[in-house]
Amino acid sequence: MLSELKTISYFNWADWLVLITILAITALAALYGNLRLKHSRQEGKLAPLDYLLMGRQLTLPLFVATLVATWYGGIFGISEITFNYGIYNFITQGLFWYVAYFIFALFITDKIAQYNSITLPDLTQQMFGPRSAKVAALFTFLYITPVAYVLSLGLFLHMVFGIGVLPGMILGTLFTCLYTAWGGFRSVVFSDLVQFFVMCGAVALVAVVSVGTFGGLTFLKAHLPATHFTLTGGNSWLNTFVWGFIALATLIDPSFYQRCFAAKSPAVVKKGVLISIFIWFCFDCCTTLGALYARALLPHAQPGQAYFFYAIQLLPAGLRGFFVAGILSIILSTLNSFLFIASNTLSFDLLRKRFRNVILSNRIAIFAVGVFSILLAQLFKGSFKEIWLVLGSYFSACLLVPILMGYLYPGRISDKLFICSSLLSAAAMTAWRLIPKPEAWAVLDPFYIGITVSLIILILCRSKRENLSARIIDR
C-alpha cells in the first residue's frame, strides 16, 4: 500500500524543470494576451467591450479550450466526493451536467444570440427590467465568487511547499489577481489555452498508468466498498437529484454566458459546447478513475488530498512535475475566470453608475473579489461539497425558473414579478435551513423548497396576467 505524504519537496531536478517551464509558458500566454489587448486600443483608449469580452472575436478552438478549462477548478472537491462515495461523483458531477450542456447547446444558444449583452445580469435587464438585473447580479456574484478554487489553490501550495493553507490562499490569489487584472479576458483565454492541454494530459496520464500498474475494474472492486459502485454512493435519491437540478444552473451559468457573448457567432457556441461535452466526458472518466485508485491505495488519506498524493507516488520523475503542473492548471484556469466574471458583476452590473472608468473599477474589483473569496473559504471551513451545494442551490433555485420562463414566454414576466420570485425563493430556502424540523423532513434539501416557491409564484402570477389579457380581448 502507498502512504500519504506530507510534502513533495523531494522533487528532483526534472520535476522542477517541467513545472517551472509550464508555469513560464502560461505566464508568456498571459503576457501575449496583454499585448493583444494593447494592440486593440483605438485613439489611445481601450474599449470596455474589448477588455471584458475580447471584442466578441472568440474563435472555436479558443472557445473550446477556455470553456473546458474553466469548468474543473475544484479538482480536490472531485477527489473528496469520489473518495467518499465512488462513482456517485461521476453521476452528480458528470452525467447530470452533460444533459444540461446538451440542452444549452440545442435550445439556449440561439436565444442568447437575440440579445447583444455583455453579462448575464445585463441580459436579465433586457429581458425583465433594471431592478431584476440588480437581483440577478447579486445572486450571480455570490455564485461565481471563486471560494472553492481559492481554497483549492491554498491546499495545493500547502501540499507542494508546506506553507499554511491560509497563507497559500493569500499568496496564490494575489498572483492570480495580478495577471487576470493585467490583460483582461484576453489574458484569461490565452492562459486557459495552455492550461487546457496540460490539465487534460495530466489526468489522462494518471488514469493510464494506474490501470497499467494495478489492473482494472477487478482490482478496484476488490479494494473498495460495494457502495462505491452504486449510483447514489449510499446517499438518498433526493440528495442525489439535487445535483441534477444544480447542474441545470448551466443554462444560466455566468461563465457559459460570458463565452457565448464573446464568441464570433452562435455557430461557434453550438459547435464549441458539443465538442466540449466529449472532452468533459473523457476528463471525468480519468479523474473519477484516478480518485478511485487513490481511495483503494490510500484509504486513510484526507479525502480531498488523496488523489494528489497518490499520483505523486505513482508517477516517475519528470512526469510527476507534469502532473503537479496539470493540477495547478486545473485550479488557475477556473480561478482566473471566476475572479474576472465576479469582478465584472461587481463593477459593471452592481456599481457601474458609481465609477466612470469601467476598466479601472474592474481591475480594483478583481482584488476585492479575491479578499472576499478568502473570507468565505474560512467561513465554510474547507468543505468543497458544502460550498458547491449551498452557493449552487441558491443561484439555481432563485434564478433558473424565471430566466427560463423568460425565454419561453417573452414579455410575460415583469420586473417586479422576477424580483418577487427570486427573493421569496431565497427567503424560503433560508427559513428551511434555520427552522427546527422533524427528522423525516430534514432530508429534504432547501433547494427543493426554493425552486417550488419560485415556480408556484411565476405560474400563478403569469396565469393571472394571461387571464387578464383574455378578458381584455373578449371585451
Side-chain angles (χ1 to χ4, degrees), residues 19 90 113 204 244 320 413 451:
L19 177 59
F90 186 82
R320 186 185 299 124
I413 298 177
I451 200 85

Side-chain angles (χ1 to χ4, degrees), residues 205-454:
L205 185 66
V206 172
V208 170
V209 175
S210 295
V211 174
T213 303
F214 301 106
L217 188 59
T218 302
F219 172 84
L220 291 175
K221 285 190 173 182
H223 292 83
L224 293 173
T227 54
H228 273 50
F229 297 95
T230 63
L231 297 182
T232 62
N235 293 273
S236 70
W237 280 106
L238 272 178
N239 287 337
T240 300
F241 278 115
V242 166
W243 289 105
F245 287 106
I246 290 176
L248 290 177
T250 300
L251 306 182
I252 54 169
D253 186 87
S255 58
F256 257 69
Y257 277 69
Q258 183 194 42
R259 271 73 182 166
C260 293
F261 297 147
K264 296 185 73 172
S265 68
V268 167
V269 175
K270 188 170 293 187
K271 291 178 183 178
V273 173
L274 294 175
I275 294 171
S276 298
I277 292 171
F278 174 74
I279 299 173
W280 281 320
F281 171 78
C282 297
F283 194 95
D284 287 334
C285 289
C286 292
T287 53
T288 302
L289 189 62
L292 287 174
Y293 279 99
R295 170 59 193 269
L297 293 158
L298 292 173
H300 302 296
Q302 290 294 323
Q305 303 174 19
Y307 175 68
F308 181 84
F309 286 131
Y310 163 72
I312 291 303
Q313 296 172 86
L314 173 72
L315 298 173
L319 292 182
R320 186 185 299 124
F322 182 78
F323 170 77
V324 172
I327 295 297
L328 183 58
S329 296
I330 292 171
I331 298 169
L332 289 181
S333 60
T334 303
L335 177 56
N336 62 13
S337 294
F338 276 42
L339 277 172
F340 192 66
I341 297 170
S343 67
N344 292 350
T345 306
L346 183 61
S347 62
F348 183 82
D349 297 306
L350 290 172
L351 302 175
R352 189 188 334 175
K353 293 182 179 179
R354 295 180 179 271
F355 301 98
R356 292 183 178 180
N357 191 325
V358 174
I359 296 172
L360 177 60
S361 64
N362 181 273
R363 285 172 167 160
I364 295 172
I366 287 174
F367 292 91
V369 170
V371 172
F372 183 61
S373 301
I374 293 171
L375 294 175
L376 278 183
Q378 294 296 100
L379 177 65
F380 280 101
K381 303 183 187 304
S383 173
F384 290 99
K385 184 180 177 183
E386 190 68 15
I387 291 170
W388 288 337
L389 199 56
V390 172
L391 298 182
S393 293
Y394 272 94
F395 179 75
S396 303
C398 299
L399 296 185
L400 180 62
V401 174
I403 291 179
L404 291 185
M405 290 187 71
Y407 286 138
L408 294 172
Y409 307 104
R412 292 184 181 177
I413 298 177
S414 66
D415 198 13
K416 184 177 180 180
L417 180 56
F418 183 99
I419 295 172
C420 180
S421 167
S422 298
L423 295 184
L424 287 179
S425 176
M429 292 178 69
T430 303
W432 185 257
R433 288 182 180 278
L434 298 178
I435 61 173
K437 299 178 288 292
E439 187 175 346
W441 288 93
V443 297
L444 188 62
D445 193 271
F447 172 84
Y448 291 111
I449 305 299
I451 200 85
T452 301
V453 168
S454 177

Side-chain angles (χ1 to χ4, degrees), residues 70-106:
T70 298
W71 219 240
Y72 282 105
I75 183 62
F76 297 130
I78 296 299
S79 173
E80 176 186 312
I81 296 173
T82 307
F83 189 95
N84 290 326
Y85 307 110
I87 65 169
Y88 170 81
N89 167 73
F90 186 82
I91 302 300
T92 60
Q93 309 304 315
L95 184 61
F96 287 151
W97 298 84
Y98 308 146
V99 175
Y101 303 149
F102 272 112
I103 295 173
F104 187 95
L106 299 179

